[in-house]
């Protein structure tokens, strides 16, 4: 039977010799063919027997598993081994070739998963948006190999999404795809060190100027609209209203007087409100740069009133007192009806910034209050705006808004020192506004 060294026998491999080859008690044992050099069988302590091929390629001995005995016959395995050795004789590395095939078959979904692993600090909302885009916009492309996504396919998909879901959604989807493919270009390299993608096919939208032109929303609350808006919001804030209704009213006022984004304000914790210092810390804003804002006298009193009737750790708790406030569509619709004009929450941020500009507050201070990044501005890098420097402009903006509020300022519910009754039970959260 040839060499009888344990774990390293040499015979002509046939079905009978494979059947007779014992399973090792531990580790693995090899049965090597005397007829075709490099062809063999490997048995492991787990009980499996698999055909292998071994060959020196580029100075290194490489071993490849051809398949399990039982799934392959000896004749089938020997034929595969011959094909493997034939490629090696031509200077081809079959394992590298196999890796290349796997690499070039990488799908959009697989690349997306790797993209998420690399982007460790994505905000929950961003992650949610990405997941929805994969599930909706690119559901039919999830199993498509990256190398098959062409520029013409991108252009057609962009048009189709624009027709079905609107220009903004189409642009958003393609920006997402561009990010994933840019990642793939850097992440997936072939054996020669070149990316499997020669270029990002989404570039066709730029080169052909096919991106939809979207007018940036510029709506604000104009000065002559402010009295009516305040009165409309105040219909949510009377002492007789439910706790949740009054919370929404205070939340809308707070957005206007701080210029914060809706999520930034909604997630404020009481532990980040400093009444002694008259400030509030925004821990996780959109640009990931923590912001400490000074509180005007009005805002301090507003929050103090809310503190007296707090029910959980959030300044603006959600319905039923759980978590933080999620965009309250029904209450906003009520305000819009009373206001007799449409508005969105981000209009309040734009109004805050517009008021600041009208008061000749410096651009650097406005950017600091709005927590905008000061990009490509060397001078801005030398200007440090601490909280005390921001306090005066914050008071000026707050006073302007109050002076523009009309009858609201004289309304008893304006005074934040007169809160309504603290809810005796969570059932009061379901009361009408």
């Amino acid at each position: 039977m040839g060499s009888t060294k344990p774990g390293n026998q040499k015979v002509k491999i046939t079905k009978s010799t494979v059947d007779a080859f014992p399973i090792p008690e531990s580790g693995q044992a090899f049965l090597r063919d005397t007829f075709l050099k490099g062809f063999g069988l490997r048995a492991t302590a787990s009980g499996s027997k698999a055909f292998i091929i071994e060959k020196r390629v580029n100075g290194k001995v490489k071993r490849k598993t051809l398949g399990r005995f039982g799934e392959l016959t000896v004749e089938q395995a020997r034929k595969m081994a011959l094909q493997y050795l034939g490629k090696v004789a031509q200077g081809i590395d079959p394992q590298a070739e196999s890796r290349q095939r796997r690499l070039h078959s990488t799908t959009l979904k697989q690349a997306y998963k790797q993209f998420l692993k690399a982007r460790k600090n994505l905000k929950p909302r961003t992650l949610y948006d990405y997941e929805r885009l994969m599930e909706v916009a690119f559901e039919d492309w999830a199993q498509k190999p990256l190398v098959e996504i062409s520029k013409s396919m991108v252009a057609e998909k962009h048009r189709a999404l624009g027709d079905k879901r609107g220009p903004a959604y189409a642009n958003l989807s393609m920006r997402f795809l561009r990010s994933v493919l840019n990642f793939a270009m850097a992440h997936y390299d072939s054996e020669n060190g070149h990316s499997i993608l020669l270029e990002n096919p989404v570039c066709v939208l730029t080169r052909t100027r096919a991106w939809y032109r979207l007018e940036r929303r510029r709506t604000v609350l104009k000065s002559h609209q402010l009295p009516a808006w305040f009165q409309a919001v105040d219909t949510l804030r009377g002492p007789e209203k439910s706790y949740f209704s009054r919370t929404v009213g205070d939340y809308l006022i707070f957005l206007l007087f701080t210029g914060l984004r809706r999520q930034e304000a909604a997630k404020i914790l009481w532990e980040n409100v400093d009444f002694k210092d008259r400030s509030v810390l925004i821990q996780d804003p959109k640009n990931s740069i923590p912001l400490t804002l000074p509180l005007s006298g009005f805002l301090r009193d507003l929050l103090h009133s809310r503190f007296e009737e707090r029910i959980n750790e959030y300044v603006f708790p959600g319905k039923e007192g759980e978590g933080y406030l999620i965009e309250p569509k029904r209450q906003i619709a009520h305000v819009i009806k009373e206001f007799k004009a449409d508005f969105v929450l981000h209009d309040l941020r734009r109004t805050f910034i517009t008021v600041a500009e009208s008061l000749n507050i410096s651009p650097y201070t406005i950017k600091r209050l709005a927590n905008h990044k000061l990009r490509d501005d060397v001078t801005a890098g030398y200007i440090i705006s601490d909280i005390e420097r921001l306090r005066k402009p914050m008071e000026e903006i707050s006073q302007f808004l109050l002076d523009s509020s009309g009858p609201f300022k004289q309304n008893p519910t304006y005074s934040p020192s007169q809160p309504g009754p603290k809810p005796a039970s969570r059932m009061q959260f379901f009361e009408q506004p």
Side-chain angles (χ1 to χ4, degrees), residues 2 19 31 40 66 70 117 157 164 234 240 294 394 407:
D19 285 333
L31 184 65
L66 301 174
K117 287 182 180 179
K157 169 71 80 173
K164 185 177 181 180
D234 208 33
E240 77 286 357
M394 195 67 159

Side-chain angles (χ1 to χ4, degrees), residues 94-112:
Q95 287 182 290
E97 189 179 59
S98 178
R99 286 194 298 270
Q100 283 293 92
R101 283 197 300 270
R102 289 197 301 271
L103 194 62
H104 280 77
S105 66
T106 302
T107 65
L108 177 61
K109 187 172 184 178
Q110 290 171 331
Y112 170 65

Side-chain angles (χ1 to χ4, degrees), residues 41-324:
L41 181 86
R42 177 176 58 191
T44 63
S46 64
S48 70
K49 294 180 179 180
F51 296 107
I52 61 168
I53 184 69
E54 294 175 317
K55 188 66 176 177
R56 186 174 295 276
V57 180
N58 297 326
K60 294 182 179 180
V61 175
K62 295 191 176 183
R63 178 187 299 156
K64 176 179 173 60
T65 300
L66 301 174
R68 293 167 64 92
F69 174 58
E71 296 174 357
L72 289 177
T73 66
V74 172
E75 291 73 17
Q76 289 171 329
R78 193 183 298 277
K79 185 176 180 180
M80 291 174 65
L82 282 168
Q83 292 174 340
Y84 182 95
L85 293 171
K87 288 185 176 181
V88 173
Q90 299 174 51
I92 300 171
D93 182 346
Q95 287 182 290
E97 189 179 59
S98 178
R99 286 194 298 270
Q100 283 293 92
R101 283 197 300 270
R102 289 197 301 271
L103 194 62
H104 280 77
S105 66
T106 302
T107 65
L108 177 61
K109 187 172 184 178
Q110 290 171 331
Y112 170 65
K113 289 182 177 180
Q114 291 299 317
F115 170 79
L116 291 185
K117 287 182 180 179
R119 302 284 295 275
K120 301 179 182 65
N121 298 317
L122 289 176
K123 292 182 181 295
R125 178 67 198 191
T126 302
L127 180 59
Y128 172 81
D129 290 341
Y130 285 173
E131 292 288 344
R132 290 294 297 160
L133 287 169
M134 276 299 300
E135 292 171 5
V136 178
F138 299 105
E139 178 187 19
D140 55 336
W141 284 14
Q143 302 306 322
K144 188 175 292 296
L146 298 178
V147 295
E148 294 182 12
I149 300 175
S150 65
K151 288 184 284 189
S152 61
M153 290 169 58
V154 167
E156 178 56 35
K157 169 71 80 173
H158 186 236
R159 283 192 296 269
L161 289 173
D163 292 341
K164 185 177 181 180
R165 295 184 172 273
Y169 185 87
N171 282 358
L172 175 66
S173 299
M174 288 303 152
R175 286 197 297 270
F176 161 73
L177 179 63
R178 181 175 60 190
S179 294
V180 174
L181 295 183
N182 277 340
F183 166 80
M185 290 177 70
H187 184 74
Y188 297 105
D189 285 343
S190 59
E191 291 292 318
N192 59 13
H194 296 153
S195 173
I196 62 172
L197 296 177
L198 298 179
E199 66 175 342
N200 192 324
V202 182
C203 69
V204 69
L205 299 180
T206 300
R207 293 175 184 173
T208 60
R209 299 186 179 181
W211 293 100
Y212 290 105
R213 293 192 63 180
L214 302 175
E215 290 296 327
R216 184 175 180 179
R217 189 177 177 117
R218 300 179 182 277
T219 51
V220 298
L221 297 179
K222 298 176 182 177
S223 58
H224 71 271
Q225 294 178 303
L226 285 173
W229 185 85
F230 276 107
Q231 283 189 297
V233 171
D234 208 33
T235 61
L236 298 175
R237 302 174 71 241
E240 77 286 357
K241 299 296 182 180
S242 72
Y243 183 81
F244 183 67
S245 175
R246 287 183 284 113
T247 294
V248 176
D250 287 348
Y251 171 68
L252 294 176
I253 295 292
F254 190 81
L255 286 178
L256 178 63
F257 277 71
T258 59
L260 289 173
R261 299 173 180 89
R262 59 185 181 182
Q263 284 279 79
E264 294 171 349
K267 291 183 177 181
I268 295 174
L269 296 164
W270 280 119
E271 66 185 46
N272 293 327
V273 177
D274 188 335
F275 287 110
K276 185 175 181 180
D277 187 51
R278 287 199 300 151
S279 65
V280 58
L281 171 64
I282 313 302
Q283 281 189 314
D284 189 27
K286 181 179 178 181
N287 64 7
S288 300
I289 301 175
L291 169 68
T292 301
L293 273 181
L295 294 172
S296 65
F298 170 74
L299 288 177
R300 176 201 57 202
D301 292 343
L302 177 74
L303 293 188
H304 189 271
S305 175
R306 293 204 56 75
F307 184 76
E308 291 299 317
E309 51 177 357
R310 66 192 181 282
I311 59 172
N312 72 7
E313 69 271 31
Y314 290 98
V315 173
F316 301 105
K319 199 165 188 178
E320 301 182 59
E322 298 293 339
Y324 60 85

Side-chain angles (χ1 to χ4, degrees), residues 360-388:
N360 293 322
I361 294 172
S362 78
Y364 294 121
T365 299
I366 295 174
K367 283 180 178 290
R368 186 73 179 89
L369 288 170
N371 207 23
H372 283 153
K373 287 186 177 179
L374 303 173
R375 295 173 177 166
D376 303 323
D377 191 328
V378 176
T379 306
Y382 292 92
I383 297 177
I384 300 175
S385 298
D386 60 22
I387 189 172
E388 293 308 318

